[in-house]
Amino acid sequence: MENTIELIDRVRLGFAVSVAKSVTFWVRSLRLGAASVLPGSIARRIEPRLLQLLSQQVKKGVILIAGTNGKTTTSLLLKTILENQGYRITHNSTGANLENGLMTALLENTNLVGRLDADYAILEVDENIVPKVLTPLQPRIILCLNLFRDQLDRYGEVDTISKRWTKVISTLPPETVVIPNADDPTLSNLGQQLPQRVLFFGLNEPEHYLEAIPHAVDSIYCPRCGHSLDYKGVYLSHLGDFTCPKCGFTKSQPTLESSEWSQILVGLYNKYNTLAAVTAAKELGVNEAIIRDTINTFQAAFGRAEDLVINGTKVRILLSKNPVGTNETIRVVTQSTDKTTLLVLNDRTPDGTDVSWIWDVDTEKLVERGGTLVVSGDRLYDMALRLRYSQKSPESTLNLIVEEDLRQAIATALEHTPENETLHILPTYSAMLEVREVLTGRKIL
């Protein structure tokens, strides 16, 4: 009887994979997109256990990467490190991180009868579906990057998500390795509550403390007793060195000495992404020389501090989809001498339909430096209003240009970018895809 059931499973899985690959072929042949979601959606209808049946074939295990910011960059860095070590990796490289996207990524490396050939599967996962996929995936390593407010029309507050994560992760096998961000109070507490093996990553570089806690801060209260945390210093948002004066809860000790590691790309947030990937790679036994060499030669994922050259002008795309992420990209911009920035604000499903978060962004820092700000996107007037309210005096040297047509907005921003300077583009997620299509002439999704 068991052999019969196994045979039926294999036949159903093979049929689901064959259909999915046919869908992928036609979608890409007709240039309808990257086929990063639809194949998995269709195959799942044929074989509901598709995620489990495919993931259990991964030879050395699944690595799940979750968090509000940094998933794509961290997963790409870890993938590159492991590939440089000689491993075969399957990865949802397009950033499609819901269930159908995960299935489609796994399908990419299967043959026509459903055999998956990969040493590791690195899957970045939307924070809201982590509880749904942990049981079928049975990951070997779980990377918990951070938890910030993001798309409040879809998700709850960070403590709600954390409680759901803790409940499900605690049911996984004891050999599961969990790697949380020690500097995030919510995730530091999560790691301290788990029965599994836990390795923390975080910064121990006080010279990078911010002057004050930013306005866009999410979790400065103790996750155990609710008392206000005492911060020795913060690195970004609520990430920093903290203790609770009431119950004694304190930051967990990071596994690595952060000052001993260089970082990928620009921005302090990418130091966190680097440390997360390095901690996982060292746990997997990767040669340290390979890790360091990969960091030094790493190229950005699309839209994440991605550098392009368009008709001789340097362009840098910095995905900006929530208060914390946008504050960090603004910090990158204001630390440069470049004076032209394009902001593109959309409110579509991938972005979150509630754009009130822009009022928690420290746009004053961007406005104060003057220069040219070009605004576009579905909610361009909301962004333009936010920037106007950021002007402290009518004598400001800011040149604000509002342009509804995105293609024209990009052209205008390029025209206003002086020779030998870089145009910084700060788009939300769907806007980033549109911007890249205009600039490169091809779609990602």
Side-chain angles (χ1 to χ4, degrees):
M1 181 66 176
E2 290 182 3
N3 290 337
T4 303
I5 294 174
E6 185 179 341
L7 176 60
I8 293 173
D9 285 342
R10 287 202 302 267
V11 171
R12 186 185 292 119
L13 177 60
F15 179 57
V17 170
S18 297
V19 171
K21 287 188 175 295
S22 297
V23 171
T24 300
F25 172 78
W26 285 111
V27 169
R28 292 177 179 173
S29 296
L30 297 173
R31 297 188 177 184
L32 299 176
S36 60
V37 175
L38 184 60
S41 177
I42 294 175
R44 182 184 181 188
R45 292 178 179 272
I46 299 170
E47 174 48 84
R49 294 185 301 150
L50 184 70
L51 194 59
Q52 175 185 342
L53 294 174
L54 292 178
S55 62
Q56 67 187 15
Q57 296 184 53
V58 179
K59 297 172 185 175
K60 294 183 176 293
V62 173
I63 301 168
L64 185 150
I65 300 178
T68 308
N69 294 337
K71 295 185 292 293
T72 298
T73 300
T74 304
S75 59
L76 180 58
L77 174 58
L78 183 56
K79 171 180 179 284
T80 308
I81 290 172
L82 292 176
E83 286 179 336
N84 288 343
Q85 181 74 33
Y87 293 117
R88 182 176 175 85
I89 310 298
T90 187
H91 169 223
N92 51 334
S93 57
T94 63
N97 56 27
L98 299 179
E99 289 174 272
N100 293 334
L102 304 183
M103 294 176 197
T104 301
L106 293 170
L107 285 165
E108 282 282 329
N109 289 92
T110 61
N111 61 20
L112 291 175
V113 295
R115 297 293 184 186
L116 177 61
D117 181 20
D119 296 307
Y120 291 101
I122 297 177
L123 301 175
E124 60 166 284
V125 178
D126 182 280
E127 58 268 34
N128 203 41
I129 70 160
V130 167
K132 293 183 180 180
V133 301
L134 280 179
T135 299
L137 286 177
Q138 291 291 299
R140 175 176 174 177
I141 291 179
I142 303 172
L143 274 169
C144 305
L145 302 182
N146 47 62
L147 282 176
F148 302 121
R149 281 178 297 148
D150 188 52
Q151 301 189 36
L152 289 178
D153 55 305
R154 292 173 55 201
Y155 304 157
E157 294 292 344
V158 295
D159 58 338
T160 302
I161 295 174
S162 174
K163 289 176 182 177
R164 293 173 61 207
W165 283 16
T166 305
K167 182 178 179 180
V168 180
I169 293 174
S170 62
T171 66
L172 295 176
E175 59 269 23
T176 306
V177 177
V178 185
I179 305 177
N181 189 335
D183 295 356
D184 187 320
T186 304
L187 294 181
S188 195
N189 179 59
L190 177 150
Q192 293 177 19
Q193 305 302 313
L194 294 175
Q196 287 83 7
R197 183 158 179 261
V198 179
L199 305 173
F200 291 94
F201 71 94
L203 297 178
N204 35 34
E205 302 175 54
E207 63 272 21
H208 293 308
Y209 285 159
L210 294 175
E211 293 180 1
I213 295 178
H215 180 60
V217 66
D218 297 319
S219 183
I220 57 173
Y221 296 97
C222 179
R224 293 188 181 177
C225 71
H227 194 278
S228 179
L229 292 170
D230 282 346
Y231 275 88
K232 185 178 180 181
V234 294
Y235 295 108
L236 65 93
S237 187
H238 58 269
L239 307 188
D241 296 324
F242 54 83
T243 57
C244 177
K246 183 176 181 181
C247 71
F249 167 68
T250 189
K251 168 182 171 176
S252 305
Q253 181 62 39
T255 303
L256 303 176
E257 178 65 42
S258 65
S259 60
E260 296 178 357
W261 293 88
S262 59
Q263 73 173 70
I264 56 170
L265 310 176
V266 296
L268 192 62
Y269 55 93
N270 276 314
K271 185 64 176 279
Y272 279 110
N273 297 336
T274 305
L275 293 169
V278 170
T279 303
K282 289 182 69 67
E283 169 64 18
L284 295 172
V286 178
N287 183 283
E288 185 170 312
I290 289 177
I291 298 174
R292 292 188 183 277
D293 183 63
T294 304
I295 291 171
N296 292 334
T297 58
F298 181 75
Q299 298 294 315
F302 61 90
R304 279 80 171 177
E306 179 184 19
D307 291 325
L308 304 171
V309 177
I310 307 298
N311 297 328
T313 300
K314 295 180 181 178
V315 176
R316 174 171 289 167
I317 305 175
L318 299 162
L319 178 65
S320 305
K321 63 187 181 73
N322 52 40
V324 172
T326 305
N327 276 345
E328 288 307 300
T329 57
I330 287 176
R331 192 188 335 184
V332 170
V333 173
T334 55
Q335 287 175 346
S336 74
T337 58
D338 307 308
K339 291 299 179 69
T340 306
T341 305
L342 168 62
L343 300 99
V344 190
L345 177 66
N346 282 356
D347 62 349
R348 303 174 195 177
T349 300
D351 312 296
T353 56
D354 182 354
V355 298
S356 62
W357 61 266
I358 64 174
W359 293 91
D360 289 329
V361 175
D362 297 329
T363 49
E364 288 78 9
K365 295 179 180 179
L366 193 60
V367 169
E368 285 171 10
R369 70 199 301 264
T372 297
L373 297 182
V374 183
V375 181
S376 191
D378 300 339
R379 301 295 291 270
L380 75 167
Y381 294 108
D382 295 79
M383 180 57 77
L385 181 64
R386 175 70 186 101
L387 295 174
R388 282 300 186 196
Y389 268 95
S390 301
Q391 289 183 261
K392 293 184 177 181
S393 68
E395 290 78 26
S396 169
T397 59
L398 175 68
N399 177 27
L400 180 61
I401 301 173
V402 180
E403 175 53 63
E404 293 184 357
D405 183 83
L406 178 59
R407 189 175 293 273
Q408 183 56 48
I410 293 173
T412 300
L414 287 169
E415 290 172 3
H416 281 80
T417 304
E419 188 177 354
N420 299 323
E421 287 195 10
T422 297
L423 167 62
H424 290 89
I425 303 180
L426 278 56
T428 55
Y429 187 79
S430 70
M432 179 267 292
L433 299 179
E434 291 183 308
V435 166
R436 286 194 85 264
E437 184 178 0
V438 172
L439 292 176
T440 67
R442 57 182 183 273
K443 293 183 179 180
I444 298 174
L445 300 176

